[in-house]
Structure formats: structure tokens, C-alpha cells
């Protein structure tokens, strides 16, 4: 009888080293110590601590299900402990993503990003965890579409009987806080109407047609929670691979074409998402370009066997080169759109303060509407 496990990836930026470019090893050590105790107390089965840019990533397996108060408390208290370390070292932006003073049941809505899924472990359970820095929650829409709905990306959709029926996408409207399901391939045109607007609609999860979870992402938008600019969401996404799901190589393939995401410097620019090995997940040029890492694990009775650093492969060298070419070209535009985000998406950046300062200097022009 297969046992049910929950995989929780909970992340937060609680202090950068140097600036917003990376994380100090002491934060990783502190988080490891905390999760080790939780493992000894049997709250979690296994854990892995890592970082992408300035974001601390807690990867945990357990039996408590999604949205579990004890697991979320563990993550929150771990972030608080790491914040204390960050403050001691005077790291940059210590405690940045902890938007609440005290834990209140669930870290969602309190600053950290969360991707969780509960499932019965298969005979062999390969998973890939994507983690990004200097970008926003909608960054997974395009790759998730390609992985689960694009036959030019995923050969299995055409030639593997187990994938041929297609998948079901759950999409969140992050502004109006509602969700909708789309079946693919039947409804791909309807689906694309929404998920092409990455600032508002985010693919939350993907299921097989008989309801098995295939992928889950974090859709928390920091700016909407805080009501002001407090750094980017820097989202995470978990994808199950092989057999009834796309193969590992099909899951990684969308990242060979660096797509343009919002984020980068001051969370206010469009830039290409660069797939990098862990040691290069240190955005420095113009605080970027935005980065994505992919860590692969095999689950074994809930234990995280791994990770394998999936983008540490010359197969992604061209994507990295292309990212730099696109980045150079976008940088030529300086403060001009489309490098800088359009006005309405700047609402949650530092721009409103400048506009407020100048609002009384604008003088009305004569009305030209015909009498
Ligand atoms: C983007 C990011 C950085 C900062 C920038 C300014 O997500 O974190 O680009 O926005 O370095 O940071 P502050 O305002 O903290 O000096
Ligand atoms: Mg930061
Ligand atoms: Mg970050």
C-alpha cells in the first residue's frame, strides 16, 4: 500500500549577502539546525535547505498534509531564527519578507512563498523543484504550459499513451482571488487568454485528468499582500516527472528558450529568465538577470534522495548565452519601456512616491473636445 506524503517548499528572503545578490552560509546552517530538530521530533520526514539568490528555501517532506499549521509554524520560526542571524551579521534587508509580527496559523499571506502537494509516492518518484529569484509569481505560466500542453515541447503528449489524454490546469486570479480549471488540449485557447497575462493570472497547479497532482507553484504576490513594493515574489514550483507525467527532459526543455519575465532591478524591469546551476544563482548584473535553478530529487519513503543540479549541464549553455544577449539589448533601453515595466504594473514599486511628489506641478491643458 503506497503511503501519502506531503512535499512543502516554503521560501522567504530574510536577508541578502551582499545586497540582494545571494545568501550567507550562516542562514543555511541555522535553517538546517532547526529542520534537523523537527526531523528528530518526527514532525517532518526529511528536509533539504538551499537558496536561490537572496531567497532561503526550505524543502520538507512530512505526513501532515497541505496548509498544516505545525509545518507552517516550523517554517515561520525558522525564518525568524535566520532573521536574527541576518541581523547579527547586518545582512541586507534582514527579515524583509516576514510581513507580520507574529505567526497566525498559515504563512500564506504573511510574506513567504509556498508550493505544496500531497500524493501517494509511486514505485519511483522523480521530482524537480524550480526556484527563481528576481521575478514574480507568473513566471511559471509559460514553462508549465509548454511542459503540460505543448506537443512541440513535450513529445509524450503525442506519442506516449499515458500523456495523450492531456492535463488539467488550475489558474488563480491573484487580484480578485478566485480560481478556475481548464482541460487541455480541449481548452488551450481559453487557457492562454488568461495565463498570457502573467501579472494577474497564475497557474497554481496541474493535474492529470483523473485528478492526480502533477505540479504546484507558489502564487503569493508580495506587493499585493504588503500593498507596496517589498521585493519580488521569487516563486517556486514543484513538478512530478516520468511515467504518467512528462519526462525529466521534457520538464526542463522550456528553459532552453529564456522567456522574458518581470522583476530584475528594483522589481521594475522586464528581463530574460536565466537557467543556472546552483552556484551561479547569484544575480549581480543590474541585480539580475532573473535566475532559475532546478533541483532534482528521487523520493524514497519520503526521503529526499538528491539533489541533482539539473541546469548544471552544457545543454543549457546556449540558453545562458541567449539570456545575456537579450539582457544586453533590453538594458540599452534604460528607463524606457518595454525594459522598464509599464505604468500600471509599477503601482507596487517605488514609482508612486515620485509621482506623488510631483502631482501638484502638473498644470491642466486646454480642453480640446468639440463644444
Ligand atoms: C529586486 C531586488 C533588488 C532591489 C534593489 C534595491 O527584486 O531585490 O533589485 O530592489 O537592489 O534595493 P533597496 O531598495 O533595498 O536598496
Ligand atoms: Mg532581498
Ligand atoms: Mg529574492
Amino acid at each position: 500500500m503506497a503511503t501519502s506524503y506531503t512535499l512543502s517548499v516554503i521560501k522567504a528572503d530574510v536577508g541578502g549577502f551582499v545586497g540582494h545578490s545571494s545568501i550567507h552560509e550562516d542562514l543555511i546552517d541555522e535553517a538546517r539546525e532547526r529542520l534537523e530538530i523537527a526531523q528528530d521530533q518526527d514532525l517532518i520526514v526529511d528536509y533539504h535547505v538551499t537558496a536561490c539568490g537572496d531567497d532561503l528555501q526550505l524543502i520538507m517532506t512530512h505526513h501532515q498534509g497541505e496548509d498544516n499549521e505545525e509545518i507552517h509554524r516550523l517554517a515561520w520560526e525558522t525564518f525568524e531564527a535566520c532573521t536574527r542571524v541576518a541581523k547579527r551579521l547586518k545582512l541586507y534587508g534582514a527579515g524583509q519578507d516576514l510581513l507580520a509580527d507574529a505567526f497566525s496559523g498559515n504563512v500564506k499571506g504573511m510574506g513567504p512563498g509556498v508550493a505544496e502537494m500531497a500524493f501517494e509516492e509511486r514505485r519511483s518518484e522523480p521530482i524537480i523543484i524550480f526556484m527563481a529569484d528576481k521575478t514574480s509569481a507568473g513566471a511559471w505560466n509559460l514553462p508549465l504550459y509548454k511542459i503540460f500542453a505543448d506537443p512541440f515541447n513535450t513529445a509524450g503528449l503525442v506519442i506516449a499513451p499515458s500523456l495523450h489524454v492531456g492535463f488539467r490546469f488550475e489558474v488563480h486570479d491573484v487580484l480578485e482571488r478566485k480560481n478556475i480549471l481548464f482541460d487541455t488540449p480541449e481548452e488551450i485557447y481559453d487557457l492562454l487568454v488568461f495565463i498570457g497575462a502573467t501579472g494577474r493570472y497564475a497557474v497554481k497547479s496541474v493535474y492529470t485528468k483523473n485528478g492526480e497532482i502533477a505540479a504546484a507553484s507558489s502564487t503569493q504576490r508580495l506587493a499585493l499582500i504588503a500593498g507596496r513594493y517589498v521585493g519580488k515574489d521569487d516563486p517556486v514550483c514543484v513538478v512530478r516527472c516520468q511515467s504518467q507525467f512528462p519526462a525529466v527532459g521534457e520538464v526542463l526543455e522550456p528553459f532552453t528558450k529564456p522567456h522574458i519575465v518581470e522583476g530584475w532591478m528594483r522589481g521594475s524591469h522586464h528581463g530574460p529568465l536565466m537557467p543556472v546551476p546552483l552556484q551561479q544563482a547569484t544575480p549581480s548584473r543590474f541585480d539580475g538577470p532573473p535566475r532559475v535553478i532546478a533541483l532534482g530529487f528521487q523520493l524514497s519513503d519520503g526521503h529526499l534522495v538528491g539533489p541533482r543540479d539539473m541546469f548544471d549541464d552544457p545543454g543549457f549553455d546556449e540558453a545562458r548565452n541567449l539570456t545575456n544577449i537579450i539582457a544586453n539589448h533590453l538594458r540599452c533601453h534604460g528607463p524606457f519601456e518595454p525594459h522598464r515595466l509599464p505604468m500600471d504594473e509599477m503601482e507596487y514599486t517605488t514609482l508612486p512616491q515620485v509621482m506623488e511628489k510631483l502631482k501638484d506641478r502638473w498644470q491642466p491643458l486646454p480642453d480640446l473636445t468639440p463644444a
Side-chain angles (χ1 to χ4, degrees), residues 252-299:
L252 299 173
E253 181 67 9
F255 297 94
T256 57
K257 290 277 177 297
H259 61 295
I260 311 265
V261 295
E262 62 171 60
W264 208 347
M265 175 58 77
R266 298 179 185 278
S268 308
H269 294 82
H270 282 123
L273 186 62
M274 184 187 254
V276 289
L278 194 55
Q279 65 174 27
Q280 292 176 0
T282 50
S284 50
R285 181 200 176 174
F286 200 57
D287 288 359
R291 302 294 151 104
V292 56
I293 56 171
L295 296 191
F297 295 91
Q298 289 285 153
L299 282 196

Side-chain angles (χ1 to χ4, degrees), residues 115-152:
E116 293 186 298
M117 54 161 75
F119 52 85
E120 290 196 350
E121 189 178 289
R122 294 172 291 164
R123 200 144 47 90
S124 180
E125 187 65 64
I127 53 168
I128 293 178
I129 303 176
F130 293 103
M131 294 159 261
D133 189 35
K134 304 290 178 273
T135 187
S136 64
W140 308 126
N141 285 10
L142 185 148
L144 285 173
Y145 176 80
K146 282 190 166 179
I147 294 165
F148 291 101
D150 179 6
F152 281 72

